């Protein structure tokens, strides 16, 4: 006789738009049997999105290396000897050429990153020009420039910026082991400035830095409890770079990475959850599992900022094999200024 299937009870959690999630509640999701967790994430995903659609963002490092911050994961920090040469801000024409190439390859959003603690006024003017030029091509725009001072977010909004990326990176408890030159509160302050200026928030973190599952849950709880939670949530798997303090740390169990995607999907049901850094180190099957767990965005293009990403053609082949298509949704409208 066949044994009857007994469904595993799901965790009761009311799901209003921006529910506050405690680390304990998120940890309970992490602790679910893998199949139950993925099933629940798929249900959430299908309630809000076309499960076969994916959003593609391309990255460009417009100012590389020599950063005064001491982020232990980052090859661009001047505190670590990674052999990376510090560069000046890239000329506008080069940025436009890279954006055109990304657009021709199918990218919808162009994200420009600078290795700054915070941008100086003359930097911001130059970046505002880049944003306007990329916007004119018909792409969504995103920048990540470090901490913003009063008025800077408004300046970027005025230039046509759609998204600002600024990550919480990890849980408040683990944060001190990773960065000492800026506080968690500094990050929250910048995120508030971005939100108040009416720019969409792109905010996520990194896993695989030696944190515990509880600390991963702490990161997701922080993100999910933001009011409102971020429109884009990049989940990065640490790319270990020789010369950084985190080179050699024990790699994360791949299933734990998939669980992190699933938990982000469940707790932030309407966000674009981005499978971010670390894809070059993943095989196709693992990436497919991430999509099944609710990832509906990825960094697309042959490079991230300073490290490699899968080749565009390889990604096109992967998406075709999975019957996935590029998200046809119109560009995300930023909320109005508060
Ligand atoms: N300097 C700005 C800042 O930190 O806000 C913007 C650029 S910074 C490189 C953007 C994000 O990239 C970081 O917050 C971190 O989450 C991610 N990142 C940097 N190095 C990484 C690595 N080696 N592996 C995975 N993610 C990384
Ligand atoms: C994000 O969360 N990940 C991207 C983007 N935002 C700027 C950066 C990943 C960087 C990986 C290491 C590198 O290439 O330097
Ligand atoms: Fe600088 Fe950003 Fe790298 Fe930190 S993550 S060292 S702030 S470039």
């Amino acid at each position: 006789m066949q044994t009857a299937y007994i469904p595993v009870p799901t965790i009761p959690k009311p799901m209003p738009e921006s529910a506050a999630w405690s680390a304990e509640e998120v940890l309970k999701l992490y602790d679910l049997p893998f199949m139950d967790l993925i099933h629940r994430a798929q249900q959430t995903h299908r309630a809000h999105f076309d499960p076969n659609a994916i959003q593609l963002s391309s990255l460009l490092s417009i100012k590389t290396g020599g950063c005064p911050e001491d982020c232990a994961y980052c090859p661009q920090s001047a505190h670590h000897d990674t052999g990376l040469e510090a560069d000046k801000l890239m000329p506008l024409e080069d940025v436009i050429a890279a954006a055109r190439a990304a657009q021709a390859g199918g990218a919808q959003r162009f994200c420009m990153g600078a290795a700054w603690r915070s941008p100086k006024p003359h930097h911001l003017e130059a970046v505002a020009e880049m944003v306007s030029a990329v916007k004119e091509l018909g792409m969504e725009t995103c920048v990540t420039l470090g901490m913003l001072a009063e008025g800077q977010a408004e300046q970027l909004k005025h230039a046509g910026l759609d998204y600002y990326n600024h990550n919480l990176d990890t849980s408040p408890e683990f944060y001190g082991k990773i960065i000492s030159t800026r506080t968690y509160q500094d990050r929250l302050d910048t995120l508030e400035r971005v939100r108040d200026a009416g720019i969409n928030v792109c905010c996520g973190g990194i896993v695989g830095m030696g944190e515990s599952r509880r600390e991963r849950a702490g990161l997701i709880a922080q993100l999910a409890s933001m009011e409102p939670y971020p429109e884009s949530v990049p989940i990065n798997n640490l790319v270990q770079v020789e010369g950084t303090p985190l080179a050699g740390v024990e790699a994360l169990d791949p299933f734990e990475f998939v669980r992190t995607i699933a938990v982000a999907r469940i707790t932030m049901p309407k966000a674009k959850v981005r499978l971010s850094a670390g894809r070059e180190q993943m095989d196709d099957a693992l990436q497919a599992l991430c999509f099944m767990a609710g990832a509906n965005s990825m960094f697309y293009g042959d490079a991230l900022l300073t490290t490699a990403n899968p080749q565009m053609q390889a990604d096109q082949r992967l998406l075709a094999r999975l019957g996935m298509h590029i998200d046809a949704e119109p560009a995300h409208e930023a909320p109005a200024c508060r």
Side-chain angles (χ1 to χ4, degrees):
M1 204 181 73
Q2 234 185 337
T3 323
Y5 165 67
I6 303 162
V8 176
T10 50
I11 294 173
K13 172 77 190 173
M15 213 80 78
E17 272 305 285
S18 248
W21 283 86
S22 68
E24 288 307 314
E25 287 171 324
V26 176
L27 190 59
K28 280 189 189 153
L29 289 175
Y30 263 105
D31 289 345
L32 283 172
F34 188 77
M35 300 309 161
D36 293 332
L37 176 61
I38 301 306
H39 179 65
R40 183 154 167 198
Q42 253 292 307
Q43 282 179 320
T44 307
H45 194 177
R46 283 172 182 266
H48 299 286
F49 293 104
D50 171 352
N52 304 305
I54 185 156
Q55 186 273 335
L56 302 178
S57 290
S58 283
L59 276 171
L60 178 69
S61 180
I62 56 170
K63 195 274 161 203
T64 305
C67 184
E69 304 289 299
D70 68 353
C71 313
Y73 50 77
C74 186
Q76 303 200 66
S77 167
H79 297 256
H80 322 316
D81 186 8
T82 58
L84 193 74
E85 297 251 331
D87 239 337
K88 287 210 171 74
L89 186 61
M90 194 179 265
L92 178 64
E93 314 79 72
D94 295 4
V95 174
I96 297 173
R100 279 188 199 283
Q103 189 177 34
Q108 297 145 308
R109 190 178 306 168
F110 194 64
C111 179
M112 297 163 267
W116 289 321
R117 172 175 166 77
S118 49
K120 305 239 169 8
H122 69 279
H123 290 147
L124 211 72
E125 278 168 35
V127 173
E129 272 191 63
M130 294 172 186
V131 167
S132 299
V134 173
K135 189 82 188 150
E136 251 175 56
L137 300 178
M139 296 185 87
E140 285 187 312
T141 54
C142 176
V143 296
T144 177
L145 314 172
M147 290 185 287
L148 294 181
E150 196 75 44
Q152 289 189 318
E154 284 75 11
Q155 205 179 329
L156 291 167
K157 170 78 181 172
H158 189 69
L161 187 68
D162 296 305
Y163 289 80
Y164 193 87
N165 167 242
H166 198 61
N167 292 339
L168 289 180
D169 277 348
T170 189
S171 70
E173 295 74 27
F174 192 67
Y175 186 86
K177 297 206 175 80
I178 301 298
I179 300 143
S180 79
T181 49
R182 71 162 68 135
T183 65
Y184 215 75
Q185 189 58 48
D186 288 334
R187 290 180 187 260
L188 294 170
D189 291 347
T190 289
L191 290 166
E192 195 177 329
R193 291 197 164 126
V194 170
R195 188 53 89 198
D196 285 349
I199 299 169
N200 290 299
V201 171
C202 172
C203 181
I206 316 180
V207 293
M209 300 194 291
E211 75 286 336
S212 64
R213 177 178 275 186
R214 176 174 290 271
E215 287 159 341
R216 285 187 282 281
L219 164 67
I220 301 294
Q222 284 287 325
L223 294 168
S225 300
M226 286 165 77
E227 293 212 36
Y229 57 74
E231 281 78 18
S232 277
V233 180
I235 305 291
N236 296 278
N237 199 6
L238 176 71
V239 178
Q240 299 200 12
V241 179
E242 214 48 61
T244 61
L246 292 184
V249 76
E250 193 185 337
L252 192 67
D253 174 354
F255 295 132
E256 189 68 11
F257 185 80
V258 179
R259 281 179 186 274
T260 304
I261 298 272
V263 165
R265 166 54 63 225
I266 293 166
T267 56
M268 293 171 274
K270 293 184 179 175
K272 285 268 160 45
V273 174
R274 183 170 309 122
L275 172 53
S276 300
R279 284 202 304 118
E280 178 72 352
Q281 289 73 32
M282 295 176 193
D283 64 18
D284 289 350
L286 178 56
Q287 293 183 62
L289 260 186
C290 291
F291 300 140
M292 207 194 280
N296 57 354
S297 168
M298 66 181 187
F299 284 126
Y300 171 72
D302 304 349
L304 293 167
L305 291 176
T306 67
T307 63
N309 199 44
Q311 300 285 303
M312 274 186 174
Q313 283 185 344
D315 278 342
Q316 287 163 6
R317 277 197 301 273
L318 173 62
L319 296 181
R321 280 166 65 211
L322 297 174
M324 292 178 75
H325 57 265
I326 301 175
D327 200 346
E329 264 182 42
H332 207 126
E333 272 305 309
C337 290
R338 266 198 219 159

